[in-house]
């Protein structure tokens, strides 16, 4: 099928050819008349009627082209931003109408027009749409988003042909296989080899030093370069080799991460540590958590000098136990560490639902928790508890105090029965390393 431009040029040329043919015939008749009269040939003058018809033809063509172009540009069902292949977590509440769903998607900057989404949904069967939490991208068309939401929240994101989605939690083997499924001539084995290729690591480190900062000292033993790939969709329709794939992944990831490099450098945070949070919770949550660390770190260091408890441990426990100051107990009652109490004095305690681990299994229970006048009071009492133990065992946390580093201290907290979660040590260590909290122990 001819392009719009080619088709219009053809129409103009056809109109000109018709005019030329008519002009030649008329000119010949006129010349014969002129020669018969004894005079030389005279220049043919175009009649006003023919000139008007020609102008009208051109005008119709131009107006049609403009109208067609406008329709293409104003296609409300096209992707909002084909180049933005990052995903956002979008929650569609139960009971939402198709119109409300469309408005949510427009407000979250996923689609161009909520009304167009509604019209498309009505034409395809709006009753198929399901409430739930979805991972959606501005690079998806309305058609793809509708298809995904019709399949339900458990369905994988629908992508254009040639695109590969790298998600949080995927193993290197899964990523390699998904790429091989989409890129002809690339095998899972060649992808795994490229992710760990030393020459390619050196080349990419030189090309994207901010993205790959610390790659040579990374402790990852498998698929090292994959750690620096931002979880999002990638257009791999034009790549041919495994090395090309890796370079494409890092090029796009570098663009996505560029706005964060200054902050990460200032806080000595490695890019792999923060990518999953950014991909799942966004910039706002990243900034909120970093602000929380920076707010309480100076006081944690002050307590470390007085009570000899590592500042990184105080900060990490506060962040983990309070869900980054996002729990009701923390944000409303200044209780960072989930401290319980028997004091029933009004204003001194509150009964809330909590999760406890019994024999390694999570159970929901009711418990009475302490209320503090300030978050500083909460941190101070936590430090005093580690130092003084409790009424039945004043040396209960002696191993925590004896620890020389955050890893030893995190393990001692579980061994000394501070927490009942079998994964507590790992969770605490991950929080410290992700946010480089160990820097506050110096």
């Amino acid at each position: 099928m001819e392009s719009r431009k080619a088709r219009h040029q053809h129409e103009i040329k056809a109109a000109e050819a018709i005019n030329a043919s008519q002009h030649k015939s008329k000119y010949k008749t006129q010349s014969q008349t002129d020669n018969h009269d004894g005079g030389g040939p005279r220049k043919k003058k175009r009649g006003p009627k023919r000139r008007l018809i020609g102008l009208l033809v051109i005008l119709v063509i131009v107006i049609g082209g403009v109208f067609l172009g406008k329709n293409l540009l104003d296609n409300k069902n096209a992707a909002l931003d084909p180049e933005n292949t990052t995903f956002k977590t979008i929650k569609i509440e139960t009971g939402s109408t198709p119109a409300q769903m469309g408005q949510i998607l427009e407000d979250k900057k996923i689609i161009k027009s909520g009304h167009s989404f509604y019209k498309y949904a009505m034409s395809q069967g709006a009753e198929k749409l399901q409430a739930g939490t979805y991972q959606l991208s501005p690079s998806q068309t309305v058609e793809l988003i509708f298809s995904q939401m019709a399949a339900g929240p458990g369905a994988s994101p629908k992508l254009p042909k040639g695109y590969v989605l790298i998600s949080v939690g995927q193993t290197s083997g899964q990523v390699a296989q998904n790429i091989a499924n989409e890129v002809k001539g690339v095998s899972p084995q060649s992808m795994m080899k490229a992710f760990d290729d030393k020459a390619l690591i050196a080349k990419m480190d030189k090309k994207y030093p901010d993205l790959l900062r610390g790659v040579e000292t990374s402790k990852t033993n498998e698929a090292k370069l994959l750690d620096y790939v931002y979880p999002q969709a990638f257009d791999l329709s034009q790549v041919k080799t495994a090395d090309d794939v890796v370079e494409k992944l890092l090029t796009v990831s570098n663009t996505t991460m560029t706005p964060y490099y200054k902050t990460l450098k200032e806080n000595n945070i490695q890019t792999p540590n923060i990518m999953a949070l950014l991909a799942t919770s966004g910039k706002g949550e990243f900034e909120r958590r970093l602000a929380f660390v920076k707010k309480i770190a100076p006081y944690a260091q002050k307590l470390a000098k007085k009570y000899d408890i590592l500042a990184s441990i105080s900060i990490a426990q506060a962040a983990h136990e309070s869900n980054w100051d996002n729990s009701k107990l923390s944000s409303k009652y200044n209780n960072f560490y989930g401290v319980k109490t028997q004091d029933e004095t009004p204003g001194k305690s509150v009964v809330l639902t909590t999760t406890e681990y019994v024999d390694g299994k999570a159970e929901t229970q009711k418990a009475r928790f302490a209320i503090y006048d300030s978050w500083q009071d909460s941190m101070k009492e936590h430090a005093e508890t580690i130092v003084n133990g409790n009424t039945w065992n004043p040396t209960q946390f002696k191993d925590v105090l004896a620890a020389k580093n955050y890893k030893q201290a995190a393990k001692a907290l579980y061994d000394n029965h501070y927490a009942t979660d079998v994964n507590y040590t790992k969770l605490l260590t991950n929080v410290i390393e992700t946010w480089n909290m160990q820097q506050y122990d110096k």
Side-chain angles (χ1 to χ4, degrees):
M1 182 180 291
E2 290 180 308
S3 68
R4 176 170 58 86
K5 181 178 179 181
R7 185 171 64 253
H8 290 175
Q9 289 177 339
H10 174 74
E11 290 167 350
I12 293 172
K13 289 181 178 180
E16 290 176 343
I18 292 172
N19 287 336
S21 176
Q22 292 175 341
H23 175 74
K24 182 177 181 181
S25 175
K26 295 293 183 181
Y27 178 78
K28 181 178 180 181
T29 302
Q30 185 65 47
S31 295
Q32 290 172 343
T33 303
D34 289 342
N35 288 336
H36 177 74
D37 292 339
R42 291 178 299 175
K43 186 174 182 180
K44 175 76 170 58
K45 288 186 178 182
R46 203 176 207 183
K49 185 176 180 180
R50 285 192 293 272
R51 286 200 302 272
L52 180 60
I53 292 174
L55 288 173
L56 286 174
V57 170
I58 294 173
L59 185 61
V60 168
I61 292 172
V62 171
I63 292 175
V66 170
F67 181 76
L68 179 59
K70 186 176 186 299
N71 281 342
L72 291 174
L73 292 173
D74 291 345
N75 182 1
K76 299 298 185 181
N77 290 340
L80 175 66
D81 184 359
E83 299 300 319
N84 183 359
T85 55
T86 58
F87 281 75
K88 297 180 181 179
T89 301
I90 307 298
K91 186 175 182 179
I92 304 296
E93 297 288 351
T94 301
S96 298
T97 65
Q100 290 171 332
M101 292 179 182
Q103 191 59 53
I104 291 171
L105 297 177
E106 181 181 345
D107 292 343
K108 294 294 185 180
K109 301 188 184 310
I110 296 296
I111 61 175
K112 294 180 179 181
S113 168
H115 181 65
S116 294
F117 177 86
Y118 166 74
K119 289 198 301 182
Y120 183 84
M122 295 302 290
S123 70
Q124 299 298 313
E127 71 280 356
K128 299 175 184 177
L129 293 172
Q130 301 180 43
T133 301
Y134 294 89
Q135 292 295 315
L136 301 172
S137 170
S139 63
Q140 292 175 288
T141 63
V142 165
E143 179 183 1
L144 291 174
I145 293 173
F146 175 85
S147 176
Q148 184 175 334
M149 292 178 65
S156 299
K158 306 294 183 180
L159 301 170
K161 185 174 177 56
Y163 282 70
V164 172
L165 175 65
I166 295 180
S167 303
V168 174
Q170 284 183 321
T171 66
S172 55
Q174 289 172 328
V175 172
Q177 184 62 60
N178 289 342
I179 291 172
N181 291 342
E182 200 66 40
V183 182
K184 186 177 180 180
V186 172
S187 67
Q189 294 75 19
S190 65
M191 282 308 312
M192 294 296 291
K193 182 179 179 181
F195 282 136
D196 276 331
D197 185 83
K198 291 183 178 180
L200 189 56
I201 290 174
K203 177 183 176 182
M204 293 295 98
D205 189 19
K206 184 176 180 180
K207 188 171 184 178
Y208 301 119
D210 291 323
L211 177 67
L212 271 67
R213 184 164 52 89
V215 66
E216 292 301 334
T217 59
S218 171
K219 297 178 182 179
T220 303
N221 295 319
E222 182 183 89
K224 184 172 288 188
L225 285 176
L226 183 57
D227 290 342
Y228 296 84
V229 175
Y230 189 92
Q232 64 187 92
F234 297 86
D235 180 4
L236 302 181
S237 58
Q238 302 301 315
V239 296
K240 303 298 182 184
T241 68
D243 284 8
D244 291 341
V245 170
V246 171
E247 186 159 359
K248 176 73 173 184
L249 299 180
L250 295 178
T251 299
V252 176
S253 298
N254 181 68
T255 300
T256 303
M257 289 299 299
T258 295
Y260 303 100
Y261 288 149
K262 182 180 178 181
T263 300
L264 295 180
K265 279 185 178 180
E266 289 173 350
N267 295 277
N268 196 26
I269 298 173
Q270 302 296 317
T271 47
N273 294 350
I274 219 70
M275 282 179 170
L277 174 66
L278 290 172
T280 56
S281 302
K283 180 181 179 182
E285 182 62 14
F286 163 70
E287 293 176 340
R288 191 185 73 80
R289 294 190 184 191
L290 182 59
F292 177 74
V293 173
K294 296 175 80 67
K295 180 180 80 169
I296 72 174
Y299 192 68
Q301 290 178 306
K302 182 178 179 180
L303 293 174
K305 291 179 180 179
K306 183 176 181 179
Y307 296 101
D308 201 28
I309 178 174
L310 293 172
S312 62
I313 290 295
S314 295
I315 301 167
Q317 283 192 283
H320 176 64
E321 301 284 354
S322 71
N323 189 24
W324 295 90
D325 199 21
N326 203 35
S327 69
K328 182 178 181 180
L329 184 62
S330 170
S331 59
K332 188 173 182 178
Y333 301 110
N334 293 314
N335 190 335
F336 279 175
Y337 300 94
V339 175
K340 299 182 179 72
T341 182
Q342 299 300 319
D343 189 351
E344 298 184 16
T345 304
K348 293 295 183 180
S349 66
V350 61
V351 177
L352 297 172
T353 300
T354 182
T355 300
E356 298 292 345
Y357 287 84
V358 179
D359 296 328
K361 296 181 179 180
E363 292 185 2
T364 300
Q365 302 176 0
K366 291 281 188 180
R368 184 174 294 277
F369 295 91
I371 296 176
Y372 295 95
D373 292 332
S374 68
W375 59 264
Q376 289 92 338
D377 289 344
S378 175
M379 293 188 72
K380 181 180 178 182
E381 184 170 303
H382 170 264
E384 290 174 345
T385 299
I386 298 297
V387 171
N388 300 322
N390 50 55
T391 54
W392 61 88
N393 186 358
T395 62
Q396 180 173 349
F397 303 112
K398 60 183 178 62
D399 296 328
V400 179
L401 295 170
K404 300 301 181 182
N405 56 60
Y406 68 91
K407 291 182 178 180
Q408 293 177 4
K411 183 177 185 301
L413 281 166
Y414 179 75
D415 292 341
N416 292 169
H417 305 292
Y418 180 94
T420 56
D421 184 358
V422 294
N423 296 311
Y424 193 78
T425 297
K426 183 178 180 180
L427 290 170
L428 216 58
T429 301
N430 286 344
V431 169
I432 291 172
E433 293 177 348
T434 294
W435 295 91
N436 189 31
M437 294 175 182
Q438 63 268 34
Q439 66 180 306
Y440 300 111
D441 293 334
K442 298 176 182 178

